[in-house]
Each structure stands twice: as structure tokens, then as C-alpha cells.
Amino acid sequence: MKSDKKLIDENGKRLDGRGPDQLRNIKIEAGVLHRADGSCYLEWGGNKVIAAVYGPREAIPKHTQNPLKAIVKARYNMAAFSVDDRKRPGPDRRSQEISKVTSEALEKIVLTDQFPRAAIDVNIEVLDAEAGTRCAGLTAAGVALADAGIPMRDIPVACAAGKIGAENNDGMFSGGFVVLDLGKEEDNFGNADLPIAIAPRTNDIILLQMDGHLTFDEFEHALDLAMKGCQEISKLQKEALLRRYKSDVEVEE
Ligand code: ADP
């Protein structure tokens, strides 16, 4: 979307006061639901997301079963009340796309060959949306999967970087700043967004999407920023899981 709104000042300070390589505030809590096998509540800036994991359990209907491995079914849903104008409930093209890419990303990291014919269901509910919900959902799903004790190569984590600012009077984009973790206005009026998900131990990319235009150098810079963002968030995921299991141990003692 075009705008003459100034998203970043001469000193690299963004609308919400963040620097170019700063994340929004993130809070993660593991094990918030009692009936799911694993769960996570995550706040990321103005986003509020719950992930709930069920399984591994027999995949139904039977024709969906794979005799060699489990299927990972992520379902991303944005609540009607999660955005300013009430969103029409139910699946739409966008949520189907996010569910698909999330399922594919998680399937790369879960040790699916340990559970032939099974399904692992990952429900992602967005309660409040403020840009970056696919990354928030996948990050919460990673914690919920670990909380459910699902064997994985690593705990998946996601983060985006993008480009904001500088637009000429004739509407052509030029210049601009590559920044980490776009906020709502930056996403609406920015020039590009690059959400990625990785396996943080190896930096293997398990999801990469791009919206808008970046030069090759900008792309490399954005990818580097997003990778660093993922590493930072990965630490918060592990801390949340440690808090959860530490309190369990304390209760048992
Ligand atoms: P992501 O949430 O992963 O950044 P998008 O780039 O598609 O995915 O969406 C950006 C933001 O736009 C969302 O986080 C949300 O705040 C808003 N948005 C998405 N879909 C709708 C909708 N149907 N109605 C209102 N706002 C929406």
C-alpha cells in the first residue's frame, strides 16, 4: 500500500520507538490448556495467539493415513474479533495458505517416521492480530509440540524482517530501510515482508515467504535479520518450557 507516512526517522527510530533490529515484546507461556496434549499462549507485540497440539493419534479418516509416517495437520484460524473490522468466521484463502505452509514447515522438523498412520493436529487460534501472526502461530506451535512431548529435530521458530520507508513522489519505491519484525502500520504501509521459520540449532530454513520487492542485497540483509530474530525468540521458547517443567517438578516434590 502506498503512503507518505514516515515509518522511520533519520536516526533509524521507528514509529513505536524500536531500532531497526529490535523485536516487539514477546511473552511465552507453555502448557496453558488442560485438555490438549501440549499447548502454548504467546503474546508478540499486539498479537495474542494460542496453539494446542493433539496426538499423535490414529489419523481419521483412514484414507488420510500414511503407512510410513505421521501427518502433521496445522490449522490456523483468526478469530472474528481479532481484527478491527469483524472478520468473517471460518476458513478463507489466507488461512488455508497459512495452515498449509505451517503444516509443511512443522512436518520437516517432527520425527514423523516414528508414528506411522498417525495424525498430529496443531490448532493455532489468533485472538488478537497485529501483523506477523503466521510467525507468532508457528512459534507458539513449536512450544506446544515440545510441551506435548512430540519428538522433533529441534524446536521450530519463526520471525519476519521487511522493508519500510522511502517512496518517491511518483509512487516508485526506492531506498528504504530493512528492519526486523514489522508492526501493524509498517506491514500496511511498508514495501516488503519476509517471514521465515527455521530449525535454530542448524539454521535450516523450513519456511520462507516474501511479500513485496527487495533487491538481492536487501533480501540478504532481511534474511540475516530474521535469522537473528529467530535465535532470540528461540531462547524465549526454551525459557518458557523450562519454567513450565520446573514448576511441575516443584509441585511433585
Ligand atoms: P501475518 O499476520 O502473518 O503478517 P498477513 O501479512 O496476511 O499475515 O496479514 C497482516 C496483518 O493484516 C494481520 O496480522 C492482521 O493484523 C491483518 N489482517 C489479516 N487478515 C485480515 C482480515 N481479514 N481483516 C482484517 N485484518 C486482517
Side-chain angles (χ1 to χ4, degrees), residues 3-251:
S3 151
D4 31 21
K5 201 174 185 81
K6 201 164 185 187
L7 296 173
I8 188 160
D9 71 15
E10 304 69 36
N11 305 317
K13 202 165 182 189
R14 296 153 72 177
L15 281 180
D16 57 6
R18 281 187 290 156
D21 56 357
Q22 249 181 310
L23 290 165
R24 290 173 284 178
N25 284 336
I26 298 179
K27 275 201 316 201
I28 308 180
E29 198 181 335
V32 289
L33 303 174
H34 297 299
R35 289 185 184 82
D37 294 315
S39 59
C40 172
Y41 172 69
L42 182 145
E43 288 182 7
W44 182 330
N47 294 311
K48 294 196 173 89
V49 178
I50 289 226
V53 168
Y54 297 86
R57 56 189 180 186
E58 188 187 4
I60 294 170
K62 279 206 160 167
H63 71 81
T64 62
Q65 294 181 355
N66 183 326
L68 300 178
K69 58 178 192 165
I71 48 170
V72 180
K73 283 195 289 189
R75 182 179 149 278
Y76 165 102
N77 182 54
M78 242 171 57
F81 50 80
S82 65
V83 286
D84 287 337
D85 305 316
R86 178 181 178 276
K87 183 198 162 281
R88 199 159 164 253
D92 50 24
R93 285 174 66 113
R94 177 177 170 278
S95 64
Q96 283 172 21
E97 173 220 315
I98 297 176
S99 300
K100 179 174 187 291
V101 294
T102 305
S103 300
E104 287 169 1
L106 298 178
E107 215 156 69
K108 292 192 184 86
I109 222 157
V110 171
L111 300 177
T112 51
D113 51 357
Q114 292 192 8
F115 307 103
R117 301 186 188 282
I120 297 165
D121 291 297
V122 183
N123 291 288
I124 297 164
E125 296 290 329
V126 179
L127 309 176
D128 251 333
E130 210 185 70
T133 57
R134 77 193 63 208
C135 292
L138 202 147
T139 299
V143 174
L145 282 162
D147 182 42
I150 308 279
M152 294 187 281
R153 286 195 291 123
D154 204 345
I155 301 175
V157 58
C159 183
K163 185 178 158 191
I164 57 172
E167 186 180 336
N168 296 338
N169 292 336
D170 56 7
M172 297 294 288
F173 294 120
S174 68
F177 292 83
V178 173
V179 296
L180 182 63
D181 184 27
L182 301 193
K184 183 82 185 93
E185 286 199 279
E186 295 174 335
D187 191 54
N188 285 355
F189 301 111
N191 306 358
D193 194 19
L194 177 80
I196 63 162
I198 64 167
R201 279 192 303 143
T202 53
N203 273 341
D204 284 346
I205 294 174
I206 54 171
L207 175 147
L208 188 150
Q209 297 187 284
M210 192 164 112
D211 182 15
H213 299 284
L214 293 174
T215 64
F216 186 72
D217 287 348
E218 286 168 346
F219 175 84
E220 283 208 315
H221 184 189
L223 189 60
D224 183 51
L225 270 186
M227 288 270 193
K228 287 185 177 136
C230 283
Q231 291 296 344
E232 236 179 278
I233 301 160
S234 171
K235 286 193 195 127
L236 301 177
Q237 287 177 308
K238 285 172 193 151
E239 282 166 18
L241 286 159
L242 281 174
R243 270 198 305 277
R244 153 102 165 115
Y245 287 100
K246 202 164 152 242
S247 62
D248 265 11
V249 171
E250 278 163 9
V251 169

